[in-house]
Amino acid sequence: YREDDVEDVFCLTFEASYDAYGDVVTVPLVANGANVAVTSANRVEYVLRYLQWVLSDSIARQFEPFRRGFYYVCGSNALSLFKPEDIELMVHGSGEDWDSDALRKTTNFVGFDSEAAQTVGGWFWDVLREMTQRDRKLFLAFVTGSDRMPTVASTQFSMKLAMLGSEHNRFPIAHTCFNQLGLWMYRSKDELRQKLMMAMTESEGFGLK
C-alpha cells in the first residue's frame, strides 16, 4: 500500500495478536505499542518488527531447545562451510524426480525365490517405472515417510523389498523406519499396480513434510 492514509485505512497499532486455544492474545511490538499508531511514516518499521515477532520472538521459547540441540550435534567449524540452502537440502532432501532403475541397483531383496523375482519383482519395477513424478513422490512417502529423496541420491539410497507370502488379496506393507516395502504374491502386474496405488493414496502414517 503506497498511499499516505495508512493510519485511517488500516487502523493498526504496534501490536501483534495470535490465537491461544480460542483466546486472542495481543503482544506489543514496541514499548506501549497499543498507543503507537501505524502511520505512513513508520509503516516500514512496523512491518520489520512484525516480521521479527512472527519469525523469531513468537517461537523463541520453542526454538531455543532445538537450537541448542542442533549446535550440540552439528556445532563444528564445518557448519560454516555451508550456505543455509545447502543445510536445508541435507536435512530436507531433494524434491527432484529420481531414477527407478538406479534405485533398483541398491535395493535388497528378501524372501524372493526365482519365480517371485521374475513375476512380482519384475512387475513391481515396471509399475514404478511407469509412474508419474507425482506418484513416485507418493511411493517414496509411503515407503520412507518422506516424499523427498535424500541428498545422497538414489545411487546410494537403499531400500529393502520383501516377499510376504501368497495372499494376493492383501495390500503392500511399508516399514518406514527401515525403508522396507513388503509385497504379496500378486497374480498380475495390474493387480500389483492396483494394490500398491491404493496403499499409497489411501493410507496415512507419520510423515515428514
Side-chain angles (χ1 to χ4, degrees):
Y1 189 78
R2 300 183 181 277
E3 303 301 325
D4 294 329
D5 54 350
V6 170
E7 185 174 0
D8 295 331
V9 171
F10 293 98
C11 301
L12 292 172
T13 56
F14 271 69
E15 295 178 299
S17 301
Y18 65 94
D19 180 85
Y21 304 103
D23 296 326
V24 177
V25 179
T26 302
V27 296
L29 299 177
V30 295
N32 198 29
N35 296 316
V36 180
V38 178
T39 66
S40 299
N42 63 19
R43 58 185 172 185
V44 173
E45 180 188 0
Y46 169 78
V47 170
L48 294 176
R49 289 184 179 274
Y50 187 84
L51 289 175
Q52 170 68 21
W53 179 82
V54 170
L55 299 177
S56 179
D57 298 345
S58 66
I59 59 171
R61 179 181 175 186
Q62 296 84 356
F63 178 75
E64 181 57 27
F66 170 81
R67 187 191 68 81
R68 291 198 306 268
F70 181 85
Y71 279 107
Y72 180 80
V73 176
C74 306
S76 66
N77 293 332
L79 195 62
S80 63
L81 300 175
F82 299 97
K83 296 183 292 185
E85 51 267 32
D86 296 329
I87 298 175
E88 179 185 15
L89 187 62
M90 288 187 290
V91 173
H92 198 200
S94 172
E96 297 181 359
D97 200 9
W98 43 274
D99 184 4
S100 59
D101 291 330
L103 179 60
R104 182 174 187 172
K105 296 177 182 178
T106 61
T107 295
N108 299 314
F109 296 84
V110 179
F112 280 80
D113 58 22
S114 58
E115 179 186 0
Q118 292 179 4
T119 55
V120 176
W123 296 335
F124 168 75
W125 293 111
D126 288 343
V127 169
L128 194 60
R129 194 178 299 111
E130 294 165 3
M131 285 182 181
T132 63
Q133 181 177 354
R134 175 184 176 277
D135 289 339
R136 275 194 291 273
K137 290 173 72 71
L138 288 175
F139 169 80
L140 203 61
F142 178 65
V143 177
T144 70
S146 172
D147 64 359
R148 302 172 71 90
M149 182 66 72
T151 53
V152 294
S154 57
T155 56
Q156 299 179 39
F157 173 72
S158 178
M159 183 180 73
K160 182 180 291 185
L161 196 63
M163 172 53 63
L164 301 178
S166 60
E167 301 176 46
H168 64 86
N169 59 330
R170 299 185 62 177
F171 290 104
I173 298 174
H175 298 280
T176 56
C177 293
F178 309 105
N179 297 339
Q180 177 175 312
L181 176 65
L183 300 175
W184 303 90
M185 196 66 183
Y186 298 114
R187 297 170 297 181
S188 68
K189 185 171 77 172
D190 288 340
E191 184 178 46
L192 188 154
R193 177 187 289 108
Q194 187 269 333
K195 296 292 186 183
L196 181 59
M197 293 299 297
M198 182 70 72
M200 287 163 40
T201 56
E202 300 298 331
S203 63
E204 185 62 55
F206 294 100
L208 301 175
K209 301 295 185 183

